[in-house]
Amino acid sequence: GENVEQHPSTLSVQEGDSAVIKCTYSDSASNYFPWYKQELGKGPQLIIDIRSNVGEKKDQRIAVTLNKTAKHFSLHITETQPEDSAVYFCAATTPGGGADGLTFGKGTHLIIQP
Amino acid sequence: KAGVTQTPRYLIKTRGQQVTLSCSPISGHRSVSWYQQTPGQGLQFLFEYFSETQRNKGNFPGRFSGRQFSNSRSEMNVSTLELGDSALYLCASSPRTGGDRGYTFGSGTRLTVV
């Protein structure tokens, strides 16, 4: 089955700086790569996603890039703000959702220092 | 529109007991997936239901089961509880089967087994 590795496990950045979280996946058939943000006491919330026919996608301060050849994708957050502090998860799945649903990375705890 | 509702929010059970968790998906969503979240293993896929049928099942023992009703509400059951079943159980709804259409997660049920 699919295996998703996520790094780093903890990332501390100064408010206003950029943050980058990286993930690699193992199944070359995977074609959908979402990112979720989880705040304390809440369920994960979808913040951005990308499909394998696209190399980059942006939504205001958030962007995701995908390198199919290297089988890795990254989340970029610019001009970080205190409300960006949370745990971020990357995930991957094959067409139709796959037999194992979404396979998630272990998460990155993003800390925004004031 | 109302989000995904999971009840109860917290549960404390004793080893050997059984437990039933409930999930009401977003109106119009016919797919409900369940995930177990623990600090050590992260988010792991339990199963997905679509139109009252189990579509996929993750690598969990048969003590974990679920069902979906005609109104798309879903329940999951864990029998003969073990200490290792302590976790946050998350329900995710989607308009279509498979996680590649974006999940909306509920806030989860925190299960503690003592």
Side-chain angles (χ1 to χ4, degrees):
Chain A
E2 175 66 276
N3 183 50
V4 176
E5 300 281 342
Q6 182 172 347
H7 300 280
S9 56
T10 303
L11 177 61
S12 181
V13 301
Q14 290 293 126
E15 182 178 348
D17 287 351
S18 296
V20 181
I21 303 170
K22 299 182 179 182
C23 289
T24 60
Y25 62 98
S26 61
D27 190 343
S28 57
S30 286
N31 72 334
Y32 176 67
F33 308 92
W35 286 87
Y36 287 83
K37 174 184 180 184
Q38 187 173 26
E39 297 174 283
L40 204 60
K42 297 183 179 180
Q45 177 189 9
L46 178 66
I47 56 172
I48 195 167
D49 56 13
I50 192 168
R51 298 188 188 274
S52 58
N53 58 346
V54 175
E56 183 176 1
K57 184 176 178 181
K58 286 184 179 180
D59 183 4
Q60 299 182 348
R61 297 186 297 109
I62 294 173
V64 57
T65 58
L66 171 65
N67 183 324
K68 286 172 54 180
T69 304
K71 289 191 281 189
H72 69 70
F73 56 113
S74 301
L75 177 71
H76 305 252
I77 305 175
T78 59
E79 300 173 8
T80 53
Q81 300 170 3
E83 55 265 36
D84 294 329
S85 292
V87 179
Y88 291 80
F89 294 94
C90 62
T93 191
T94 52
D100 301 319
L102 283 178
T103 300
F104 286 87
K106 290 291 175 69
T108 295
H109 186 193
L110 177 62
I111 301 165
I112 307 300
Q113 303 279 6
Chain B
K1 84 185 175 183
V4 178
T5 303
Q6 290 189 248
T7 56
R9 286 296 309 274
Y10 303 93
L11 267 178
I12 299 176
K13 290 286 187 179
T14 304
R15 266 185 306 172
Q17 287 187 314
Q18 75 163 16
V19 66
T20 299
L21 313 181
S22 179
C23 171
S24 293
I26 289 173
S27 178
H29 284 194
R30 295 166 61 193
S31 168
V32 173
S33 298
W34 289 88
Y35 284 80
Q36 182 195 65
Q37 185 175 26
T38 59
Q41 298 300 315
L43 283 148
Q44 292 187 288
F45 174 72
L46 281 157
F47 28 66
E48 179 193 8
Y49 285 86
F50 182 81
S51 293
E52 302 179 65
T53 301
Q54 186 179 88
R55 181 179 179 271
N56 291 307
K57 182 173 168 59
N59 189 24
F60 279 83
R63 300 185 296 107
F64 291 81
S65 63
R67 58 178 175 168
Q68 187 179 35
F69 302 95
S70 58
N71 61 358
S72 294
R73 190 178 71 85
S74 177
E75 290 181 346
M76 69 162 281
N77 183 276
V78 188
S79 62
T80 319
L81 283 166
E82 300 177 0
L83 295 179
D85 297 333
S86 294
L88 181 67
Y89 289 89
L90 291 160
C91 163
S93 85
S94 178
R96 276 178 44 172
T97 185
D100 63 342
R101 288 294 177 266
Y103 286 146
T104 301
F105 281 93
S107 294
T109 293
R110 172 76 60 187
L111 173 64
T112 302
V113 183
V114 298

